[in-house]
Amino acid sequence: MAELNPQATLDDIVFANRNKAYGAYDLRKTYPKTVTRALIIGGVLFTLGVLTPTIITALTPEKEEQAMVEVDLMKLPPPPIDPNEPPPPPPPPVEVPKVNTVKFLPPEVKPDEEVPEETPPPAVEELKEAVAAEKTQEGDPNAEEVIAAPEASAAPTKVEAAVEAAPKEEEIFTVVEQQPEFPGGMAALGQYLGKNLRYPAAAQRANVSGRVFVSFVVNTDGSIQDVTILKGLGFGTDEEAQRVVKAMPKWRPGKQSGRPVRVKYNLPINFTLE
């Protein structure tokens, strides 16, 4: 039996009398060095990854902060004026056509020594063809007198004829503060329907029963109009429901803001076989 070398490692004991050139022996011998090298490289890469933002920030030059300055446009100096540049020409004067005028000044109270020679007022015939003014001048008899508007307000250029608005059709409400009501209330309405409603023979033979929903408008005077069927049963029940609603007495009209208004009302009418 071969003697063991006291300095032999575990790998030497495991691979004793075996083919060490196979590859496994070499891998086990270099494994600790490979792990150590991988740990060192991984630690260096991790450290670089953590410190990279700090390094980039340290190497990047700082930008100067731009301060916002408030500028008062009223305090800015006026733009330079070129002395060689001629001033803009004034706008051309607007020629106003002259009208015929007759001198007619309002009376003024003055001392006797300052009273000028009395000038008789113009006759009515002269004022028909001329306009009273401070002096007499000849002009176009067809020209119209132009009165300058004050600077603070612009003169109207055109007078538009008033247009009478068409009368607005009275609005029909669906919800109001005070709903329309049958005379005597809902109990009286039930008695009216029970007394006047007739079951159609066709509906009786077909054994048809249910509700017919009728819609109508209660006018401001309580009268009923625009009676329509929202949902019917057929077999003559729809026509009978319309007949009974149209024959109703006047209701108490609905009110909105204290005044009577037109209200649309929906009423279910039951047809039940006994």
Side-chain angles (χ1 to χ4, degrees):
M1 183 176 180
E3 296 182 0
L4 294 176
N5 186 2
Q7 297 181 352
T9 62
L10 178 62
D11 293 337
D12 294 335
I13 297 172
V14 172
F15 285 91
N17 301 325
R18 295 185 180 181
N19 185 10
K20 296 181 179 180
Y22 178 70
Y25 178 76
D26 185 61
L27 289 175
R28 291 181 66 104
K29 292 289 287 184
T30 58
Y31 178 74
K33 294 180 180 180
T34 304
V35 172
T36 303
R37 189 183 301 112
L39 288 175
I40 293 173
I41 294 173
V44 171
L45 292 177
F46 178 77
T47 305
L48 286 176
V50 173
L51 297 179
T52 296
T54 306
I55 296 172
I56 293 175
T57 304
L59 296 178
T60 303
E62 296 183 359
K63 295 182 180 180
E64 296 182 0
E65 295 184 359
Q66 297 180 356
M68 297 182 65
V69 180
E70 184 177 358
V71 178
D72 189 355
L73 298 178
M74 301 300 296
K75 296 181 180 179
L76 291 177
I81 300 176
D82 187 3
N84 298 326
E85 183 178 358
V94 179
E95 295 185 1
V96 180
K98 294 183 180 180
V99 297
N100 290 333
T101 59
V102 178
K103 184 177 181 181
F104 181 61
L105 299 177
E108 242 182 282
V109 180
K110 290 186 177 181
D112 294 340
E113 59 272 9
E114 296 182 7
V115 175
E117 183 180 354
E118 184 176 356
T119 304
V124 177
E125 290 75 10
E126 294 178 344
L127 292 177
K128 290 181 179 180
E129 300 179 357
V131 178
E134 297 180 356
K135 61 180 180 179
T136 302
Q137 71 175 10
E138 293 184 359
D140 185 2
N142 297 323
E144 296 182 358
E145 182 183 8
V146 178
I147 302 176
E151 296 181 359
S153 61
T157 57
K158 184 179 180 182
V159 178
E160 296 184 358
V163 179
E164 184 178 357
K168 184 180 179 182
E169 186 178 356
E170 192 171 357
E171 182 180 0
I172 298 178
F173 291 81
T174 55
V175 179
V176 290
E177 295 173 355
Q178 184 176 344
Q179 288 288 344
E181 188 179 7
F182 186 86
M186 296 302 295
L189 175 59
Q191 293 176 2
Y192 169 81
L193 294 176
K195 181 179 179 181
N196 295 275
L197 195 64
R198 299 291 180 264
Y199 215 110
Q204 291 182 1
R205 289 193 298 269
N207 198 22
V208 172
S209 62
R211 285 185 176 183
V212 175
F213 291 87
V214 185
S215 174
F216 53 90
V217 175
V218 181
N219 289 318
T220 54
D221 61 350
S223 60
I224 305 298
Q225 73 174 54
D226 299 339
V227 181
T228 57
I229 301 297
L230 296 179
K231 183 179 179 182
L233 296 173
F235 296 92
T237 57
D238 304 345
E239 292 77 5
E240 178 63 16
Q242 282 185 318
R243 183 192 67 80
V244 172
V245 171
K246 290 180 180 179
M248 283 183 178
K250 288 187 176 182
W251 287 41
R252 281 197 292 270
K255 292 185 178 180
Q256 182 73 12
S257 300
R259 64 181 183 88
V261 293
R262 302 178 68 197
V263 182
K264 189 173 184 179
Y265 196 91
N266 298 332
L267 177 67
I269 298 179
N270 294 322
F271 286 86
T272 306
L273 287 171
E274 296 179 357

